[in-house]
Amino acid sequence: MEPKAHRLPNHVRPITYAVDIATYPARGEFEGTAEISIDVLSATQAIEMHARELALREARVTVGDHTVPATIALDPATETVTFTTEKPLPLGHAKISVHFRGTPSASMHGLYLAHDGGERAICTQCEATDARAIFPCFDEPEMKASITWTIRTEGPVVALANTPLLGVEEDGEKKIWRFQTSSPMASYLYALVVGDFEGTPTQVVSGTPSRVWAMRGKAEQARFAQSFTGRLIPWYERYFDYAYPFKKYDQVAVPGFDAGAMENVGLVLFRQNLLLMDPRAASWNQEKLIAKVIAHELAHMWFGNLVTMRWWDDLWLNEAFAEWMAHKATHAIEPTYLVWNDFQADKNRALIDDALPTTHPIWTAVKTPSEAIEMFDVITYQKGCAVMRMLENFLGESKFEAGLRTYMKAFAFQNAAGSDLWRHLEEASGLPVGALMRSWVEQPGFPVIDFSLDDNTVSVSQHRFSSSPKHGATAEYQAQLWSVPMVVRFEDERGIKEHRFILDTREKKEILPAEGAIKWISPNADEIGFYRVNAKGRARELMLEHGPAKLTAVEQMGFVEDQWALVRNSTCTIEQFIPVIDAFASTHDHNVLRAITDRLGTIDLLLKDSGDQRAREGLRAWIAKAFNVQLNELGFVAKKRESQNDMQRRALVIYALANLARQDAVIQESVRYALEEQKDPRAIDANLSGTFVAVAARFGDEARYESWLDTYQKRKSSGAAPQDCLRYLYTLAMFRPEPLTRRTLSAIDGAMIPQEAIGSVLAQLLATRETQELAWGYLKTNWDALRTRVGDMGLSRVVESVGHLRAQHRADIVAFFTEHTPRGAERALARALEGLDQREELRARVTPGLLSHFKLEAQA
Ligand SMILES: [Zn+2]
C-alpha cells in the first residue's frame, strides 16, 4: 500500500526512548519494549506516533506515579499508531511504554538480516522512514530525542549501537548489552548491529574512541580505514571549529547494504568493499573511493547529525554538503588523490540527468515516504555538491568556513533549513548568498552559456540547457535565468590571468583585462561552474587548437563533454564533434582519456546498431592507430616508480584496444594476465587486474565462466579482500553467450549473488545490447520478488537501466510499469523513458554522418 502524506501533530513531543530489544540472527523475529518519555504540550487523550508492520501490545501511560492502560490503534495508511487513554493527559511530562514484535525485513531496510555466503548479521537502516518498522517512534527529523539501547542476544555475537557500551550481563548463551544514553538525535539515525564482528584496537582521536569493525577474520582489512579516519577527525574538528559531537565513532562493514554507507550517529554501516581493503589488492581508484565514502559519512556527524534538516525537502543540504566536504577534506589530507578530477565525471552525470525534462529542483517538496526515497539521487548529491563548490569559490574559502562555523554553533543538536545556512554565509561574507542560491536550488535545470570572443571582449548569454532538441524552445525553458558566477581564465602576452564576474541577466559583454592577443581561453576555469558552455567562433577554435596543451585536465574533460552534449541536443553536428575526438585522443591525462573512451564507446554502439560492418572496422582501425601509440610507449606491465596517471592510462588504453578496437593481441595478452591473477591476485598490479579480468570475461566461454564462479566463491569463503572477490562477481554479467547470461540471471534467485549486488548485476545486463532482452524478460517474470530484495537504491538503478532497451520495447515498458508501479523509482522510470527516446532520436540524426566518416576511415 502507498502510505499517505501525513505529518504528526505537534502537541506531543518525544524526549527520550529506552528500547530493550531481543534479536537473534538465527530467529525469524525480533521483539522488545519501548519506554518513551514525552512532553505533552496541550491536553490530549491521544498520543500519535509512527509504527509500521509491528504487533503492539500492553500499552501503558504513566504520569507521575500513576499508570493507566491505553488502547492501540494502528493505521497502515499513515504508518502511525495512536495510543488513547480514558482521560486527557495533563500538560508536562508523561511516559508511555509498549511491547512490540516484528519480523526482519526482506528488503535491506528497517531491521534486517544482512547475509552473503556464510556471513550474516542483524543490521538496521532507518533512513528515510524505517525506524518506525523497528519500534514505535516519532519518525520525523525534527522530533529529536535521545535513545538508550538495551540489546539481548544469543550465542557468540557482538552487539553495537549508537553509543558506548555500559556493560554486558551474561546468562548462559544469552547476553544483555546495555548502552549509554545518547544526545538528542533524529530517529533516522538510530542504529544497531548484531553479528560475529571483530574490531580494530580502539584508537582515541582527540578524545573520541574510534574503531572499525568487520566480520570475524577481516579486521586486518580495516587498517586503511582506521588510519584515514584518524587523520580526518582532527581535520573536521578544526574546519568546523567544533569538537566531534558524539561519544564514540564506530564504522562497521556489514554483509549486505542497500546504499553505499549510512551515517548513523556513532555507528556508521558500510558495504564491505567501501570500508575494507588489502592495500595490495585495491586499485588506486578503489582506495580513493573508500577514502571519499569515509569522509562523506564522517562529515555527516556535524552536517546532518549535529545540525539536522527540518524536513526531507532539505535532504539535499545534508547530502550536497557531505559530498562536497568529503572531496574538500580528502583533497586536503591526500592531495595526490586529485579527487576533484574524479568529481568532474560525477558532475557530468548530474548535468546529464539535470538536462532531462523529468529533472527536479535541488529543493523539492516531499510529502510521502516514497517521495523522500526518490530524493537520494544524482541531483541531490552531485548537483548539490557542485553548487556548494561554486558557492564556496564565489565567497572565498575563509568566508565560507566562517559562515559554517557560526551556523554549526547556532543550531547544534537542533534543526535548520537552507535559508538558515544562507543567512549565516551572508553575514560572514557580506554577499547576496540567498539570491544566488535560490536560482540554483529552487529551479530545475541549469544554463548553457553561449560564449564568444572578439579581440578582448567576451560575449555571454544564458538559457536553460535541454538534452533534447524538442524541449529547449518551450516558454518555461525560455523564461529561466540563473545568477551564474563565472571565472574565465586566459593567457595573454603577460601570462595567465583570471577574470571573475556574475552573469545574472540574459546576456552580457565583459572586457577581459588582456594585454596583447589572447593565446588561449578557458570559459569555466577548473570547471567549477555548474553549467555547460557553447564556445563559438574564435573561442572554440582556441579551445580545439590549444586545449590539449593548455587547459587543465578537468577543463579538457568539460570541453569534450560539453561538445558531446551539444551534439545530443542538435546544437552541433556529429561532423563538428569528430575533430574534438581527434584533437583530444592523444591526451596523456587518464581523466581526459576516460572521457574520450566513453564517447568512443557510444559511437561504437551506434555503428554496431546500424549493422554496417565496414564503418565499424573503420572505427576500430582509427582507435587502434590512436591508442597503440600510447600502449607502445607505456607497455603492458607497470614500470618501476611510474606515475599513477600512467598506470591509469594504461588500463584505459588496454580496455579501448581490446573492447572497442578488438585487437587480438591485446585481448590475448589481457586474458593471459587475467589467468595469472586468478592463480595469484598479488601477481598483477591491482590497477590493471580489473581491466584484465573484464576483458577476459567479455570474450570468455563457458569454461572460463565456470572458473570465474569458482574463483569468486573460493575467495569469498576464504575471507579474501572484497576487491579480490568482486572483480569476479561483477564480470559475470560481461560474458556474452546466451546460456551464460541465463545462468547469471538464475544466480540472482539463489544465494550466489549477494542481495546487495543484485541491482548492479541486473542493471549491467539491462544496459548491454547482447544481454538486455533476456534481462528484461527476467525482470518482468520476477518483478514481485525482485522489487523487495533489490533495495530502494537498487530498484532505481534497475528501473533506470531499462531505458537502454531498443525503441521497440517502449510500449512494453510503459504497459508493464503501468501495471506494476515502481514505487520509489517513479522518477527513475521517467528518466529511463526520456533517455530511451533521446537515444533513438540521436541515432536517427547522427548515424548517417558517422557511417560516412568511418567508412572513409576504413579505406584509409
Ligand atoms: Zn550522505
Side-chain angles (χ1 to χ4, degrees):
M1 187 195 311
E2 167 69 345
K4 283 194 220 150
H6 183 74
R7 293 292 291 268
L8 295 178
N10 243 326
H11 62 271
V12 178
R13 296 186 69 91
I15 305 165
T16 65
Y17 297 92
V19 179
D20 184 328
I21 187 169
T23 179
Y24 314 107
R27 278 199 209 166
E29 63 173 32
F30 61 90
E31 64 177 322
T33 54
E35 278 193 11
I36 311 167
S37 306
I38 53 173
D39 200 4
V40 180
L41 301 172
S42 66
T44 181
Q45 282 169 267
I47 303 163
E48 183 187 328
M49 64 185 80
H50 289 101
R52 195 183 72 222
E53 291 160 14
L54 292 175
L56 302 178
R57 62 183 163 86
E58 292 164 35
R60 291 188 180 89
V61 177
T62 305
V63 179
D65 47 16
H66 189 61
T67 300
V68 294
T71 60
I72 299 169
L74 285 154
D75 181 2
T78 53
E79 301 186 342
T80 56
V81 56
T82 303
F83 301 104
T84 308
T85 50
E86 208 170 76
K87 291 180 186 154
L89 300 170
L91 303 195
H93 284 194
K95 187 184 274 182
I96 174 158
S97 71
V98 63
H99 183 275
F100 60 87
R101 188 160 49 80
T103 44
S105 149
S107 71
M108 291 169 279
H109 287 267
L111 186 145
Y112 67 99
L113 177 66
H115 56 96
D116 180 9
E119 297 180 335
R120 34 194 42 209
I122 290 287
C123 300
T124 57
Q125 167 64 31
C126 291
E127 193 179 24
T129 57
D130 291 301
R132 63 188 67 170
I134 305 175
F135 61 91
C137 57
F138 294 77
D139 201 9
E140 294 184 1
E142 225 177 336
M143 301 276 199
K144 285 192 174 183
S146 59
I147 187 164
T148 312
W149 288 106
T150 300
I151 304 174
R152 291 163 195 266
T153 64
E154 242 173 29
V157 287
V158 173
L160 299 168
N162 297 104
T163 53
L165 185 67
L166 276 177
V168 189
E169 281 169 42
E170 296 196 30
D171 175 14
E173 275 281 273
K174 295 190 175 176
K175 284 184 186 167
I176 305 174
W177 308 70
R178 297 188 196 280
F179 295 88
Q180 292 183 23
T181 300
S182 77
S183 24
M185 59 170 157
S187 52
Y188 77 89
L189 297 165
Y190 297 158
L192 62 87
V193 289
V194 175
D196 191 14
F197 292 108
E198 65 172 339
T200 55
T202 302
Q203 106 181 305
V204 178
V205 188
S206 43
T208 303
S210 160
R211 296 180 81 175
V212 182
W213 299 81
M215 296 310 286
R216 184 162 304 284
K218 291 184 175 177
E220 192 59 24
Q221 297 168 21
R223 282 181 176 222
F224 172 79
Q226 175 87 331
S227 106
F228 194 71
T229 306
R231 298 165 76 191
L232 272 172
I233 291 177
W235 192 91
Y236 279 132
E237 291 186 322
R238 191 208 55 75
Y239 186 84
F240 291 121
D241 190 27
Y242 199 109
Y244 174 81
F246 304 105
K247 288 176 184 163
K248 55 111 177 168
Y249 196 63
D250 281 330
Q251 299 173 100
V252 192
V254 301
F257 207 69
D258 184 18
M262 174 65 207
E263 73 269 19
N264 312 303
V265 164
L267 185 69
V268 183
L269 306 193
F270 291 73
R271 284 189 174 210
Q272 304 195 59
N273 65 312
L274 296 179
L275 188 65
L276 306 181
M277 68 174 208
D278 173 343
R280 297 167 308 162
S283 69
W284 190 51
N285 287 322
Q286 287 161 338
E287 178 182 320
K288 286 196 288 182
L289 183 61
I290 290 174
K292 281 184 281 183
V293 177
I294 289 174
H296 176 112
E297 304 310 327
L298 186 57
H300 274 311
M301 295 301 136
W302 287 263
F303 225 94
N305 297 7
L306 176 64
V307 181
T308 309
M309 69 215 156
R310 288 192 194 285
W311 183 245
W312 295 106
D313 47 16
D314 265 325
L315 173 72
W316 81 277
L317 261 191
N318 273 11
E319 296 305 346
F321 190 87
E323 192 61 12
W324 169 78
M325 197 83 245
H327 285 83
K328 190 175 174 72
T330 306
H331 182 68
I333 286 173
E334 203 51 79
T336 58
Y337 282 169
L338 299 171
V339 289
W340 285 116
N341 287 9
D342 299 342
F343 181 69
Q344 180 62 24
D346 293 339
K347 187 185 103 179
N348 194 49
R349 281 196 296 134
L351 287 166
I352 289 170
D353 275 12
D354 205 24
L356 297 170
T358 48
T359 189
H360 61 89
I362 287 180
W363 188 95
T364 297
V366 169
K367 293 195 178 66
T368 65
S370 64
E371 284 170 356
I373 289 167
E374 289 238 68
M375 293 305 284
F376 292 84
D377 67 0
V378 71
I379 302 298
T380 297
Y381 283 72
Q382 278 75 28
K383 180 182 180 181
C385 172
V387 167
M388 281 287 179
R389 188 181 187 210
M390 193 163 66
L391 180 64
E392 188 213 23
N393 193 50
F394 172 64
L395 301 186
E397 280 186 313
S398 62
K399 286 174 179 158
F400 193 81
E401 182 181 298
L404 280 175
R405 288 175 169 189
T406 59
Y407 168 82
M408 207 59 75
K409 288 187 183 73
F411 294 97
F413 296 107
Q414 299 172 56
N415 295 74
S419 51
D420 298 316
L421 178 59
W422 312 149
R423 206 175 56 248
H424 280 264
L425 292 173
E426 248 164 40
E427 279 163 18
S429 67
L431 290 165
V433 175
L436 180 101
M437 288 305 274
R438 271 191 292 279
S439 82
W440 292 98
V441 170
E442 291 176 8
Q443 54 181 349
F446 61 88
V448 53
I449 311 294
D450 285 339
F451 186 99
S452 46
L453 180 67
D454 187 7
D455 285 334
N456 291 352
T457 304
V458 161
S459 303
V460 287
S461 67
Q462 58 162 313
H463 57 272
R464 179 168 167 189
F465 183 81
S466 165
S467 53
S468 110
K470 76 177 186 215
H471 296 288
T474 62
E476 185 208 339
Y477 273 59
Q478 301 278 320
Q480 283 184 245
L481 270 186
W482 283 263
S483 191
V484 190
M486 294 196 64
V487 184
V488 176
R489 190 180 290 147
F490 60 94
E491 184 176 358
D492 64 12
E493 301 297 337
R494 293 293 180 88
I496 297 172
K497 295 176 178 168
E498 279 185 3
H499 180 65
R500 290 170 175 256
F501 61 98
I502 297 257
L503 171 65
D504 52 7
T505 49
R506 183 66 58 200
E507 48 188 38
K508 197 168 198 174
K509 282 192 195 304
E510 282 282 319
I511 297 178
L512 299 178
E515 295 161 86
I518 289 174
K519 297 177 179 171
W520 56 265
I521 192 158
S522 172
N524 186 1
D526 294 324
E527 280 288 314
I528 288 174
F530 189 79
Y531 49 81
R532 294 215 185 267
V533 174
N534 179 13
K536 297 179 156 181
R538 173 98 186 110
R540 187 175 188 276
E541 283 164 23
L542 285 176
M543 291 180 85
L544 258 182
E545 191 184 338
H546 300 289
K550 298 292 186 185
L551 298 183
T552 63
V554 284
E555 290 165 352
Q556 293 183 46
M557 291 165 83
F559 179 67
V560 171
E561 287 151 357
D562 286 353
Q563 290 291 310
W564 177 247
L566 292 166
V567 173
R568 287 193 52 185
N569 79 356
S570 85
T571 304
C572 294
T573 62
I574 192 75
E575 287 78 7
Q576 287 170 301
F577 184 70
I578 286 170
V580 176
I581 293 264
D582 277 333
F584 288 86
S586 54
T587 179
H588 278 193
D589 182 277
H590 74 278
N591 290 294
V592 184
L593 200 59
R594 188 179 304 277
I596 294 289
T597 51
D598 282 354
R599 289 296 71 80
L600 290 170
T602 312
I603 292 171
D604 181 52
L605 183 61
L606 287 164
L607 294 181
K608 174 156 97 181
D609 285 347
S610 77
D612 190 315
Q613 204 48 37
R614 211 154 64 87
R616 226 176 157 204
E617 291 300 334
L619 175 67
R620 288 175 184 174
W622 185 89
I623 295 172
K625 199 168 73 190
F627 287 10
N628 268 321
V629 182
Q630 298 217 33
L631 186 59
N632 291 340
E633 177 212 324
L634 290 163
F636 238 87
V637 242
K639 296 183 176 123
K640 280 217 173 81
R641 279 189 289 281
E642 186 175 56
S643 71
Q644 225 9 291
N645 182 61
D646 278 353
M647 189 64 103
Q648 303 304 321
R649 185 157 66 99
R650 177 183 295 108
L652 283 161
V653 165
I654 290 172
Y655 162 83
L657 287 170
N659 279 16
L660 299 175
R662 302 287 173 89
Q663 295 275 287
D664 230 16
V666 178
I667 295 171
Q668 294 317 321
E669 197 72 345
S670 300
V671 171
R672 191 167 73 78
Y673 284 117
L675 300 182
E676 271 187 40
E677 197 282 349
Q678 223 180 350
K679 278 187 232 129
D680 173 14
R682 299 290 87 80
I684 303 294
D685 188 286
N687 291 293
L688 292 170
S689 305
T691 303
F692 292 147
V693 171
V695 170
R698 166 70 185 75
F699 299 98
D701 59 6
E702 190 175 356
R704 194 174 293 159
Y705 185 91
E706 295 286 353
S707 78
W708 253 229
L709 275 181
D710 190 50
T711 305
Y712 169 62
Q713 276 164 329
K714 276 191 185 135
R715 285 191 186 178
K716 191 159 78 168
S717 56
S718 73
Q723 293 77 17
D724 277 341
C725 304
L726 292 180
R727 68 176 68 103
Y728 285 88
L729 174 67
Y730 285 119
T731 49
L732 288 178
M734 292 179 184
F735 285 84
R736 295 291 164 84
E738 204 179 289
L740 303 181
T741 304
R742 286 184 199 282
R743 284 184 61 181
T744 304
L745 286 167
S746 67
I748 290 175
D749 296 330
M752 220 283 296
I753 294 184
Q755 188 175 5
E756 67 175 17
I758 294 174
S760 300
V761 170
L762 194 53
Q764 199 186 331
L765 291 169
L766 281 164
T768 307
R769 250 327 151 252
E770 288 81 356
T771 54
Q772 60 187 193
E773 302 273 332
L774 281 176
W776 172 233
Y778 174 87
L779 182 150
K780 287 189 288 182
T781 314
N782 297 279
W783 175 252
D784 288 337
L786 264 178
R787 60 163 303 154
T788 309
R789 292 182 65 216
V790 77
D792 290 338
M793 310 274 173
L795 186 72
S796 281
R797 200 174 304 147
V798 167
V799 170
E800 189 150 359
S801 296
V802 167
H804 289 277
L805 287 160
R806 294 296 302 264
Q808 62 261 32
H809 293 286
R810 194 185 198 285
D812 188 27
I813 296 169
V814 172
F816 179 78
F817 285 117
T818 305
E819 202 180 321
H820 308 269
T821 315
R823 197 158 292 127
E826 279 128 322
R827 281 187 194 281
L829 177 61
R831 281 196 298 275
L833 291 172
E834 189 61 41
L836 185 151
D837 292 344
Q838 291 192 8
R839 273 185 281 276
E840 292 302 322
E841 188 280 331
L842 178 76
R843 172 197 321 287
R845 179 158 46 83
V846 306
T847 302
L850 283 176
L851 289 179
S852 52
H853 179 82
F854 285 105
K855 276 187 201 167
L856 283 177
E857 280 296 331
Q859 283 164 6

